[in-house]
């Protein structure tokens, strides 16, 4: 069978043309990068776990009425999603100070924020994804005021829901990054959640010990990276039954 046409290769995923028009296959790699590609590595089994974790969270968000691009998981490393026009913004929601916020504003990591905060970053690797304001976003036409309203509302609903899901399994949702896309149906457009939701783009701390269960283990060389991703999947009740063995093997592409 012919190999599918590759549309794009990113740092953690490869996108292939889907089986029907308007669909895309997301293939989850084990590759990990940090600092905009400055640090590179492999987290064995990450692709399999992120595929499962993101499927689980996207489905649960769909259940509460949040529109997402997710259609269905195809196999261990692939999921079928709707093709959307990606809005070139990273939408970060924060509940607890960490990472760049802690560094930039001198707020000790772990400080609970007075309320959830939304930040926007312009998706552009050569510029290092700079933080931008709503003024920049509307002035340069990356999104309009209505799009921003929709994204902020969806981001906050997602935050409230995910905080509940994670605290239910003993994990604090510190912060996370979302991406949104425009889905067109004839003349109608709606904004839907796209990309993935996984320990690659969330900060997840054990609620009792504050142990990091996310990509910071890789970014900061803390060790036990694979174990952290597995622990998140295990607590969510979705650790692939095949176990570790199956996570390492190459996937046969159609
Ligand atoms: N994040 C991401 N991709 C990026 C930058 C950040 O997924 O290119 C996520 C990151 O995992 C964290 C949140 O967004 O959950 C906030 O990241 P922060 O701005 O603190 O940046 P960092 O410290 O990761 O550079």
């Amino acid at each position: 069978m012919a190999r599918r046409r590759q549309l794009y290769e990113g740092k953690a995923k490869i996108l292939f043309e889907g089986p029907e028009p308007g669909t895309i296959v997301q293939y989850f790699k084990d590759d990990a990068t940090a600092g905009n590609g400055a640090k590179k590595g492999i987290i064995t089994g990450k692709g399999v776990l992120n595929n499962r974790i993101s499927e689980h969270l996207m489905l649960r968000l769909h259940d509460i009425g949040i529109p997402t691009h997710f259609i269905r998981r195809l196999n261990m490393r692939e999921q079928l999603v709707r093709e959307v026009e990606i809005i070139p913004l990273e939408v970060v929601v924060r509940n607890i100070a960490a990472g760049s916020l802690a560094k930039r504003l001198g707020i000790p990591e772990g400080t609970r924020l007075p309320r959830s905060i939304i930040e926007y970053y312009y998706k552009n690797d050569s510029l290092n994804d700079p933080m931008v304001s709503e003024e920049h976003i509307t002035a340069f036409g990356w999104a309009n005021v209505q799009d921003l309203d929709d994204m902020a509302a969806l981001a906050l609903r997602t935050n409230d829901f995910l905080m509940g899901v994670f605290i239910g399994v003993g994990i604090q949702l510190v912060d996370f990054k979302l991406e949104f896309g425009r889905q067109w149906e004839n003349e109608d457009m709606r904004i839907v959640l796209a990309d993935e939701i996984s320990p690659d783009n969330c900060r997840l701390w054990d609620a009792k010990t504050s142990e990091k269960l996310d990509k910071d283990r890789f970014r900061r060389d803390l060790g036990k990276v694979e174990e952290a991703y597995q622990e998140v999947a295990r607590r969510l009740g979705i650790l692939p039954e095949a176990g570790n063995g199956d996570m390492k093997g190459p996937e046969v592409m159609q």
Side-chain angles (χ1 to χ4, degrees):
M1 219 187 273
R3 237 180 123 87
R4 286 163 302 188
R5 194 158 74 91
Q6 184 173 317
L7 301 173
Y8 173 80
E9 176 155 12
K11 296 185 197 110
K13 292 191 289 294
I14 307 175
L15 304 185
F16 295 96
E17 210 169 57
E20 294 116 38
T23 63
I24 282 184
V25 174
Q26 288 197 142
Y27 175 93
F28 287 73
K29 301 192 284 185
D30 284 349
D31 301 43
T33 63
N36 193 19
K39 181 180 162 82
K40 287 194 174 77
I42 299 278
I43 303 174
T44 307
K46 172 173 83 80
V48 174
L49 292 164
N50 282 357
N51 187 22
R52 290 295 290 256
I53 292 169
S54 196
E55 170 197 26
H56 179 76
L57 297 176
M58 291 281 187
L59 285 175
R60 295 190 68 177
L61 287 164
H62 170 83
D63 287 344
I64 62 151
I66 305 248
T68 83
H69 73 158
F70 183 84
I71 302 173
R72 65 175 180 278
R73 190 168 60 83
L74 297 172
N75 55 47
M76 297 281 276
R77 285 187 186 269
E78 295 178 332
Q79 52 181 243
L80 188 67
V81 302
R82 240 173 277 286
E83 185 175 18
V84 296
E85 188 184 294
I86 290 286
I87 295 171
L89 296 172
E90 301 201 331
V91 179
V92 169
V93 184
R94 300 179 182 275
N95 301 305
I96 294 172
S100 69
L101 175 107
K103 208 166 160 185
R104 211 175 47 243
L105 303 182
I107 300 172
E109 217 169 42
T111 309
R112 182 161 287 285
L113 300 172
R115 61 181 171 80
S116 303
I117 291 174
I118 302 185
E119 295 171 351
Y120 302 97
Y121 295 83
Y122 177 44
K123 259 170 77 77
N124 184 317
D125 280 346
S126 58
L127 296 175
N128 254 326
D129 298 343
M131 192 184 203
V132 290
S133 69
E134 299 193 10
E135 285 281 289
H136 297 121
I137 295 167
T138 52
F140 297 119
W142 300 320
N144 64 27
V145 172
Q146 181 63 57
D147 298 336
L148 275 169
D149 264 13
D150 291 352
M151 284 190 285
L154 289 171
L156 289 177
R157 281 174 67 198
T158 299
N159 182 47
D160 285 347
F161 183 73
L162 291 184
M163 276 209 295
V165 166
F166 281 116
I167 208 63
V169 295
I171 293 175
Q172 270 190 321
L173 178 61
V174 173
D175 58 30
F176 59 98
K177 185 262 295 183
L178 297 176
E179 292 186 26
F180 292 93
R182 296 191 180 89
Q183 190 187 319
W184 292 92
E185 263 177 54
N186 303 316
E187 295 300 292
D188 294 329
M189 188 278 288
R190 67 170 184 165
I191 289 188
V192 306
L193 203 51
D195 194 48
E196 67 177 280
I197 307 177
S198 72
D200 265 11
N201 44 40
C202 299
R203 282 199 171 90
L204 303 168
W205 293 356
D206 181 273
K208 282 210 186 90
T209 64
S210 292
E211 189 191 359
K212 296 183 199 317
L213 299 172
D214 56 60
K215 203 168 114 181
D216 271 350
R217 299 204 73 85
F218 169 78
R219 292 189 190 100
R220 303 182 187 187
D221 294 318
L222 299 175
K224 298 207 167 157
V225 188
E226 288 90 350
E227 289 85 345
Y229 281 67
Q230 273 182 40
E231 179 63 11
V232 172
R234 191 189 65 76
R235 291 204 199 176
L236 291 172
I238 52 170
L239 198 59
E241 279 165 26
N244 226 353
D246 267 25
M247 292 193 213
K248 290 176 182 157
E251 283 294 302
V252 177
M253 310 289 290
Q254 301 181 16

